Amino acid sequence: MTVISTNNNVLTFINVFTVEPENQERLIDLLTSATDVSVRYAPGFISCSLHRGTEGTKVTMYAQWRSAEEYQAMRNDPKPLPYLQEAMTIAKFEPGSYEVVKTFEPATE
C-alpha cells in the first residue's frame, strides 16, 4: 500500500510518460502488464500507482522502492522488458526520483 510520509525510508519514483491520445490506453495496458508479470514481485518493491492524465496525453506512475539499487535490479530484469520496450515506441519517458520532504493535511479549526 502506498504511504506518503516523511517518516518512511523509501525512494519515490515519479515517472511521467507523454503519448498521443490514441496511445494512452495502450501505454496503460503495457505498464500494467509489466507490473503484473514482474515488477510487483521484485525485491525492494513497495507499491506503485498508475495515473491517467485527463487531457489524454500523460500517464504517470508513482512508485515506491526500498532503494535505488533494488529499483535498478528490476530495470535489468528481462521479464518486463518487452512491455517497456513497446512502451518506449509510443511514449516519451521522463523519469524522476524523489524523497518526501513534507506532507500536508487539511487544516483543523
Side-chain angles (χ1 to χ4, degrees), residues 31-59:
L31 295 174
T32 297
S33 294
T35 303
D36 279 340
V37 302
S38 177
V39 175
R40 62 192 301 196
Y41 300 101
F45 174 79
I46 297 170
S47 70
C48 72
S49 302
L50 194 54
H51 304 262
R52 174 188 299 118
T54 57
E55 80 296 326
T57 61
K58 300 281 190 206
V59 174

Side-chain angles (χ1 to χ4, degrees), residues 34-47 64-67 69-77 79-80:
T35 303
D36 279 340
V37 302
S38 177
V39 175
R40 62 192 301 196
Y41 300 101
F45 174 79
I46 297 170
S47 70
Q64 294 179 328
W65 288 81
R66 283 191 310 239
S67 72
E69 293 78 21
E70 288 169 308
Y71 173 77
Q72 192 56 49
M74 175 279 301
R75 294 284 312 260
N76 295 331
D77 182 348
K79 283 183 238 144

Side-chain angles (χ1 to χ4, degrees), residues 15-17 19 24-40 48-51 58-61 80 83-88 90-91 93:
N15 298 321
V16 179
F17 299 83
V19 296
Q24 187 185 47
E25 224 28 65
R26 179 66 186 141
L27 179 60
I28 290 169
D29 290 344
L30 289 166
L31 295 174
T32 297
S33 294
T35 303
D36 279 340
V37 302
S38 177
V39 175
R40 62 192 301 196
C48 72
S49 302
L50 194 54
H51 304 262
K58 300 281 190 206
V59 174
T60 300
M61 183 171 272
Y83 305 102
L84 300 175
Q85 286 175 330
E86 185 177 342
M88 293 302 88
I90 62 172
F93 177 52

